[in-house]
């Protein structure tokens, strides 16, 4: 089991920003695509964003223009910058590492999740 560790969640007011981080040991984040999922209570899990090893990115329509996924230069961490947050962004956010393209991504490894709560 590859440990992926998320951090950066918390409580923020609507319109605010948070940056989620995902770290892993070894080169797992450098050689795999990385995707952020979220799941709100009573809702289906949603793929929010994906970044490939070549830095191609994709976003769910619900976050396009507000969220940005990126890697650090050493490829040991992946970030999700979330701006203009809305109450409907409230969810547990999961970092994953997996396979495929930004349009056909399959997660293999999961982090434990970090809670993001946006108050109105």
């Amino acid at each position: 089991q590859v440990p992926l560790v998320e951090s950066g969640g918390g409580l923020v007011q609507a319109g605010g920003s948070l940056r989620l981080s995902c770290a892993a040991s070894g080169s797992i984040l450098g050689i795999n695509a990385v995707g952020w999922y979220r799941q709100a209570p009573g809702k289906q899990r949603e793929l929010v964003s994906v970044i490939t090893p070549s830095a191609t990115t994709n976003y769910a329509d619900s976050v396009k223009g507000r969220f940005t996924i990126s890697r650090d230069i050493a490829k040991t961490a992946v970030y999700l910058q979330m701006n203009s947050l809305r109450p409907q962004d409230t969810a547990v956010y999961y970092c994953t590492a997996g396979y495929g393209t930004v349009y056909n991504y399959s997660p293999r490894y999961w982090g434990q999740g970090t809670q993001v709560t946006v108050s109105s």
Side-chain angles (χ1 to χ4, degrees), residues 42-108:
K43 294 189 176 181
Q44 285 191 330
R45 188 171 57 205
E46 176 186 23
L47 178 58
V48 174
S49 184
V50 176
I51 186 166
T52 68
S54 61
T56 302
T57 61
N58 194 35
Y59 300 90
D61 288 343
S62 57
V63 306
K64 212 169 278 186
R66 301 187 297 121
F67 290 12
T68 303
I69 192 170
S70 63
R71 297 177 182 270
D72 71 341
I73 293 175
K75 295 185 179 179
T76 57
V78 171
Y79 308 102
L80 186 68
Q81 178 67 43
M82 305 186 297
N83 298 327
S84 302
L85 283 162
R86 304 166 180 169
Q88 53 265 45
D89 294 318
T90 295
V92 178
Y93 284 70
Y94 298 92
C95 176
T96 69
Y99 306 98
T101 70
V102 294
Y103 302 111
N104 186 22
Y105 174 69
S106 296
R108 180 174 180 182

Side-chain angles (χ1 to χ4, degrees), residues 2-43:
V2 175
L4 301 177
V5 180
E6 302 101 332
S7 61
L11 173 64
V12 65
Q13 288 189 332
S17 298
L18 285 173
R19 188 176 84 153
L20 304 183
S21 299
C22 176
S25 58
S27 60
I28 193 69
L29 295 180
I31 63 174
N32 286 279
V34 174
W36 284 95
Y37 283 84
R38 67 184 181 186
Q39 187 161 24
K43 294 189 176 181

